[in-house]
Amino acid sequence: PVTDIENSGFEEAVPGSYDSMDTAVIVSKNNDETITFMNIETGKNYTLSYTGATTIWDKYGEAMSMEQIHEGDIVSVKFLKEKKRLSDMALYDGAFTYTDVTKYEINELTKTFTIVKEAFQYTEDTVIVSAGEEIEMIDLNEADVLTVQGIGTTIYSIAVDKGHGYLKLSGDEYFIGGWIEIGQKMIRPITDDMLLVVPEGDYEVLFTNGGNSGTKQVTIDRNSEVTVDIGDIEIKEIQYGSVIFTMNPSDATL
């Protein structure tokens, strides 16, 4: 008799079985237990499903979990092409990785990405990801913290580990011409209709002008704009007095 499993066409995944191999960049980890890759030779994207039979390794052959794999990682993959099923994935042992990158320069004319003083090339196919989504090179900001990965002198992926948002003020008439201090990161003069680019995170923001000051707790989310109303900061009238000097001798100069 034909069993229900046989009748359903179900085929159990066999660990280690594959017919294709690639070196690729992880573009996205999807909610439907699939991963989208970019082949570094062709620049083409493709998506593979994974199961409990999929094996994952680090550069040293130690087992990893799917949670330890991130967008932007350069990996060697083995898969069943027709079934679009991922069999084996390992971090590519020939790749370089720079983490916590904050000092970098981008030359779009020569497609050069310089980290400190070391120059690398990037291409039209370089994967740039932020919060699980692909972005463009122009979307990067000097406030961002990056992980950069590549092979040789070519950058194949840039991942934004800590991005930026935007801070705007309302009710700021009194404080225009004064100063805004955002945590320990930024001090800027307050101008009319200002819009500040700020690294994502939680901050105590200090406002000062003419002897008055006030603070606000502000959360900056990635790629979002927050408006802070400072119209409720108490403004105290500045008191002025006078000093009279009596000079002796009378022709002395003060």
Side-chain angles (χ1 to χ4, degrees):
V2 177
T3 66
D4 290 338
I5 292 179
E6 290 172 335
N7 201 30
S8 69
F10 173 79
E11 183 178 343
E12 184 178 358
V14 179
S17 60
Y18 66 95
D19 56 26
S20 301
M21 299 175 61
D22 265 344
T23 301
V25 177
I26 296 178
V27 177
S28 63
K29 294 166 60 179
N30 310 313
N31 294 328
D32 58 352
E33 294 190 334
T34 63
I35 300 177
T36 300
F37 299 92
M38 184 204 73
N39 183 300
I40 67 170
E41 293 183 2
T42 66
K44 301 290 186 181
N45 284 15
Y46 58 94
T47 300
L48 302 174
S49 63
Y50 60 88
T51 69
T54 301
T55 52
I56 308 172
W57 313 95
D58 65 13
K59 294 181 180 181
Y60 310 104
E62 298 292 332
M64 299 178 65
S65 67
M66 190 62 70
E67 288 71 26
Q68 293 174 286
I69 296 293
H70 305 287
E71 285 91 352
D73 283 344
I74 301 176
V75 292
S76 299
V77 293
K78 298 175 181 177
F79 57 99
L80 293 168
K81 189 172 184 179
E82 292 299 321
K83 299 183 182 300
K84 297 183 179 180
R85 181 186 298 158
L86 179 62
S87 174
D88 184 278
M89 177 169 57
L91 294 178
Y92 184 67
D93 61 2
F96 65 78
T97 301
Y98 287 89
T99 59
D100 297 325
V101 176
T102 56
K103 295 181 180 180
Y104 55 88
E105 295 180 3
I106 302 170
N107 187 321
E108 295 190 39
L109 184 63
T110 61
K111 293 193 181 303
T112 303
F113 192 102
T114 302
I115 303 173
V116 188
K117 293 184 179 181
E118 191 169 1
F120 298 90
Q121 295 298 127
Y122 66 90
T123 72
E124 296 290 345
D125 297 322
T126 295
V127 174
I128 309 173
V129 291
S130 175
E133 297 183 359
E134 283 195 85
I135 61 173
E136 301 295 329
M137 190 70 73
I138 196 173
D139 296 321
L140 296 179
N141 186 277
E142 62 182 9
D144 297 338
V145 179
L146 312 176
T147 291
V148 179
Q149 300 188 58
I151 301 173
T153 58
T154 302
I155 291 173
Y156 287 106
S157 76
I158 300 171
V160 179
D161 297 325
K162 191 172 183 179
H164 63 276
Y166 304 92
L167 186 148
K168 189 175 183 180
L169 300 180
S170 67
D172 58 349
E173 291 81 4
Y174 172 82
F175 285 95
I176 292 176
W179 295 87
I180 179 173
E181 183 175 343
I182 304 173
Q184 303 297 316
K185 294 182 177 295
M186 300 174 62
I187 300 177
R188 297 285 189 275
I190 298 175
T191 59
D192 194 19
D193 294 327
M194 71 185 307
L195 183 66
L196 294 176
V197 178
V198 183
E200 63 179 312
D202 298 320
Y203 300 96
E204 181 176 79
V205 182
L206 173 66
F207 306 90
T208 57
N209 191 28
N212 282 290
S213 65
T215 60
K216 293 281 186 175
Q217 297 296 323
V218 178
T219 297
I220 302 295
D221 295 320
R222 189 179 305 193
N223 300 327
S224 297
E225 180 181 308
V226 61
T227 299
V228 180
D229 184 1
I230 59 175
D232 59 351
I233 294 177
E234 183 181 359
I235 305 301
K236 296 181 181 179
E237 183 180 353
I238 306 302
Q239 301 296 316
Y240 294 93
S242 59
V243 178
I244 299 174
F245 294 91
T246 301
M247 306 301 295
N248 185 20
S250 60
D251 58 350
T253 300
L254 177 64

